[in-house]
Amino acid sequence: MSDGYALLPKEEDDIEMPEIYKGFGKNRRRWDDDTIQVPYKGRVRMNKSSVLKILLSLSVLLNLALIGFLLWTRFMPFDYWSKDDQQVSQTKPVIGLNGHSSSTPPSVDPNPNDAHTVPTAPPCGGNSSSRLKPPSYSNIFQDLRSQEIKSVEQYLFKIKDFELVEAFKAELTSNFIFSIELQTPNKSSALHFLDNKGKPPAREALAVLFLPSFNPPVVEEYVVGPLPKPTYHYRNPRRDKSIDFRIRQFNNVEMGHAIRTVQQALGAKIEQFLQKHYGAHFFGCVEQCLTFTSSAVSSVFSKERRLWINAMYMVEFSTLHALGFQFLLTMVGLDSSKWYIEKVWYADKLYDSFDDLIDKYERGETPKINLRFPKVQVGEDSLGGSLNIKGKQFPQVPQAGPRQYEPHGHRYTVQDEHVEYLQQWSFNYRMSYASAIQLYDVKFGGQRIAYEISLQEIIVLYAGANPATMHSQLADSAFGLSRNAHGLVPGVDCPDHATFLPVTLFGADHPDPFNYPNSVCIFEHNNNVPARRHKAHSYRSGSYYQGLVDNVLILRTVYVMYNYDYILDFIFHQSGALEIKVLSTGYILSAFYTNEEKPFGFRVLDDTLGSIHHHMFNFKIDVDILGTNNRYETLNFKVDNVTRSWYDNGQPIPQLSFERDLKHTEQDAAYKFNFDTPRYHVIYNNNMENKFSGKRGYRLHAHGFSKQMLPEDSGALNTYTWSRYQMAVTKRKDEEQVSSSMHAIFDSGDPVVNLQSFIDDNENIVDQDLVAWATVGMLHIPHTEDIPNTPTTGTEATITLLPYNYFQECPSMGARDAVRIDGQPDFRVNNHGIPQDVSCVPSHLTSEDISKQKDSIFMAAG
């Protein structure tokens, strides 16, 4: 017999210890009040009570084991022991990410390290064999690949007449390539390929050349092709004139010379002046430094190229800390030695130069501003205006918020910038260096809804009592929209399960084609509201329920234009509706607080006023309803006051009605919103009807039409003529491709692109290929809750394309995401084949995971 332990009765005076156990008393261990545990060798005699206690103990252990087994089978999938790597486990439904399905929240184990190891569910998304495969597709709208860009660059450098140098080696008088991107094909050629299986259009590039050595200096656009081995080039036929070099877009070469000019002009006296009155200066500082923003003076005000430089503290974030110190830099010609500081603004007064300011300051003829460099206040953990968490933190106990996940993986595919969703939606996207994101060949159910949908321009019109703010009539394409869209953060900017995609762009800010990571994300999203639903529960209507989850596909990008961040979504609904949504966040632009500034904003920090401004966004929507021959009409609401002969007293009862108003010309179709005359905007095909003789079309509905309040001929608005209208519908032409240009911030004296000219020729638009130019926006008077960052809540503007008599009924009736419940005669729930018994572990990026993607979030944007 092997050594072991035996359960024996506790020693009592009248019981004699067997001889074999004598001497082991000191080794005895208490088991309970009736027994002791001792080592033994050989057989052991036990009385009846001992045997009963052993049997009782075994019974308890067996019952505990049975309870544990039942609990295990309740929470573990039945296919746990299966050898197959299955995507979906056939178990009871698991509600929520933590595998908890009851109505009460799971308890938290206070000793998780002591818990038994429990087998886990498979990861969400399924295995590779179950995932959707991208279809075979030839995308004629795909952005240029790096090798294609390099081939264009090499070709252009061989053309001696251009005398090109590499941009990063260029001087003010050097010719260089500013940008290279795809030249989208003419629509007729594209449709011949897409619809008639014709020959694909030639793949070509659009190159923008800065040519200051030409006489006169110009900016020219050339089409280069065919790719990937170019052999020809020609002037861009969509640009009807050369571009005056004076109104060119900003570039690094110019800004480098501007900074050197400012550095030389400031001099020791001004730097000492700044240090004395602001506790900081521009150049040679270590910690307490000044930075600046610049506001271009449009060519409608000046024949020279001018910038108002607005000094600010270099802290998180600078635009909240304006100082009331500004100066006007005049850049005469291409010789920076002739550039000079023309005016200086300090303490609400204008001076002729830095010397003039110092002279009057030393004579005591100027007011004085005395500020100290911002510091963390007593009782605070971080600087006012910074985005470090501050104040009373909540929730009191750190708990993660809700997240979404995809139990079976993506229900969309994306490859080579071509996207398909639920076998219903398909579209192509691309990023234009000169403007912004563009969608092409947008289809639902195999039918084209729009040939192109694209963001054309973002402008912000500021107002204030100081020169820099007055001239801040900003067109963000001047700073390059697409090159400022990158670094989307998983779990915040887009869900963890989103697909993050880069774009490749070529501009003068990088010597080679540059891969901008995380520029676009695509994900499916539960909008957390039914797309439609109804519950009937009465003897008249029956007892049933049907509802559809509003699952949508979202393509998102975010443009970071120094202080402001613009979130742009294209949202694809299962009803055939397409929603364009833009939201604003980021930092406001401020002014130094003075009495003169009070009409233009509220005080938001000790010395800071948030400047009033107007955001406006212009979109191109090339709608093709069952072909390119379409009409535009409005359905105008009116009050019906007709007397009905059958009504008892013969008195009319006012009620709503509508009348149709077909727009015949472009000037008829230039729309300015009026709340007194509400109307629907419908684009339809007059030759295509539904079975009820309704003209099949799409309705354009906007939430966020914004009135341009300034006079149409004022200042920079000469180049933003699209902002005069909430919507304008014009006949589509390849040469009327865009409503703005990257030169718009300077060119209002003679705009490179003028949408008003598209309207003024007043062409017929009945049964034509039509383009809608739609504008939304929001007015903003900043307030203290905009500090430090403007929340997106309340900044939303949308344009929605809604099917209008296009389908026989709502196409979402085919969606399997719907749930049907019948209460009679038997209670039944129909989920239309969608697996309900889903148990999987969703992925989630931790802080450590995000840290590994640091190069995708922060990068040198040039």
Side-chain angles (χ1 to χ4, degrees), residues 51 164 201 265 314 483 504 530 583 635 695 729:
V51 174
L164 297 173
M314 186 184 288
R483 63 182 283 271
T504 299
L583 304 101
L635 307 181
K695 304 299 184 182
V729 176

Side-chain angles (χ1 to χ4, degrees), residues 626-646:
L626 301 167
T628 57
N629 292 333
N630 292 163
R631 295 184 175 190
Y632 166 51
E633 73 174 16
T634 60
L635 307 181
N636 301 339
F637 290 84
K638 65 176 186 175
V639 175
D640 177 274
N641 270 318
V642 175
T643 301
R644 305 290 190 252
S645 60
W646 50 263

Side-chain angles (χ1 to χ4, degrees), residues 121 202 225 368 462 469 473 513 529 577 760 765 806 862:
K368 295 180 175 59
Y462 287 92
T469 307
Q473 312 282 293
V529 65
D760 287 345
I765 59 170
Y806 189 92

Side-chain angles (χ1 to χ4, degrees), residues 204-504:
E204 297 178 323
L206 177 67
V208 177
L209 306 186
F210 279 22
L211 303 170
S213 72
F214 280 28
N215 187 18
V218 292
V219 176
E220 292 283 15
E221 297 181 359
Y222 287 93
V223 179
V224 180
L227 302 180
K229 296 180 179 180
T231 57
Y232 62 77
H233 69 280
Y234 56 92
R235 291 256 320 259
N236 181 16
R238 301 172 190 172
R239 187 74 74 204
D240 61 358
K241 59 183 178 182
S242 298
I243 299 166
D244 187 340
F245 198 69
R246 179 172 58 93
I247 61 171
R248 65 194 180 277
Q249 191 193 35
F250 284 115
N251 62 86
N252 288 346
V253 176
E254 180 182 29
M255 292 310 294
H257 280 270
I259 290 171
R260 285 192 289 273
T261 300
V262 170
Q263 186 175 12
Q264 293 168 4
L266 283 171
K269 281 191 175 182
I270 286 292
E271 287 282 66
Q272 291 170 8
F273 171 86
L274 294 172
Q275 185 66 45
K276 178 178 179 180
H277 290 281
Y278 295 107
H281 55 277
F282 281 106
F283 300 102
C285 58
V286 178
E287 293 182 349
Q288 298 187 359
C289 300
L290 299 180
T291 185
F292 63 86
T293 60
S294 59
S295 301
V297 178
S298 181
S299 58
V300 75
F301 298 115
S302 171
K303 293 183 178 180
E304 302 296 342
R305 199 165 164 88
R306 287 180 166 90
L307 292 176
W308 271 104
I309 307 296
N310 191 11
M312 298 175 174
Y313 284 122
M314 186 184 288
V315 294
E316 185 181 326
F317 189 73
S318 61
T319 59
L320 296 179
H321 299 278
L323 306 180
F325 180 81
Q326 306 169 8
F327 47 92
L328 178 62
L329 173 63
T330 298
M331 299 174 284
V332 181
L334 297 173
D335 182 356
S336 61
S337 67
K338 297 179 180 178
W339 296 2
Y340 63 96
I341 304 300
E342 184 176 342
K343 297 289 182 181
V344 179
W345 174 265
Y346 171 72
D348 273 358
K349 291 186 179 295
L350 194 64
Y351 302 88
D352 290 334
S353 65
F354 285 141
D355 289 338
D356 183 36
L357 168 62
I358 293 298
D359 181 58
K360 290 179 180 177
Y361 169 78
E362 290 177 345
R363 295 203 308 262
E365 297 176 3
T366 180
K368 295 180 175 59
I369 298 175
N370 290 297
L371 299 179
R372 293 297 90 190
F373 196 85
K375 294 183 178 180
V376 177
Q377 299 298 311
V378 176
E380 298 288 341
D381 296 326
S382 59
L383 192 67
S386 79
L387 281 179
N388 292 304
I389 189 171
K390 57 174 72 73
K392 184 178 180 180
Q393 296 185 16
F394 54 88
Q396 187 173 0
V397 177
Q399 295 172 294
R403 298 189 179 100
Q404 294 191 15
Y405 69 108
E406 298 172 316
H408 301 142
H410 300 328
R411 300 198 297 179
Y412 62 89
T413 61
V414 54
Q415 182 170 299
D416 297 333
E417 299 179 345
H418 176 73
V419 181
E420 298 202 3
Y421 174 51
L422 293 179
Q423 297 80 51
Q424 288 284 67
W425 284 106
S426 66
F427 61 91
N428 308 295
Y429 74 90
R430 66 172 296 263
M431 280 283 201
S432 167
Y433 186 93
S435 56
I437 194 166
Q438 303 171 346
L439 304 189
Y440 282 95
D441 198 23
V442 181
K443 293 182 177 181
F444 182 83
Q447 293 289 340
R448 183 174 299 109
I449 303 301
Y451 176 76
E452 178 188 352
I453 302 174
S454 56
L455 174 63
Q456 294 290 299
E457 184 64 276
I458 302 173
I459 64 172
V460 195
L461 308 176
Y462 287 92
N466 63 88
T469 307
M470 290 175 64
H471 285 284
S472 291
Q473 312 282 293
L474 306 177
D476 283 336
S477 61
F479 309 100
L481 285 164
S482 293
R483 63 182 283 271
N484 287 294
H486 54 79
L488 295 173
V489 177
V492 183
D493 295 327
C494 313
D496 292 333
H497 65 263
T499 300
F500 291 83
L501 298 157
V503 297
T504 299

Side-chain angles (χ1 to χ4, degrees), residues 497-516:
H497 65 263
T499 300
F500 291 83
L501 298 157
V503 297
T504 299
L505 302 173
F506 178 80
D509 38 12
H510 288 286
D512 295 304
F514 196 85
N515 189 70
Y516 290 81

Side-chain angles (χ1 to χ4, degrees), residues 846-857:
T846 65
S847 298
E848 183 178 352
D849 295 327
I850 295 176
S851 297
K852 295 176 182 177
Q853 299 185 27
K854 61 181 181 180
D855 291 339
S856 295
I857 297 172

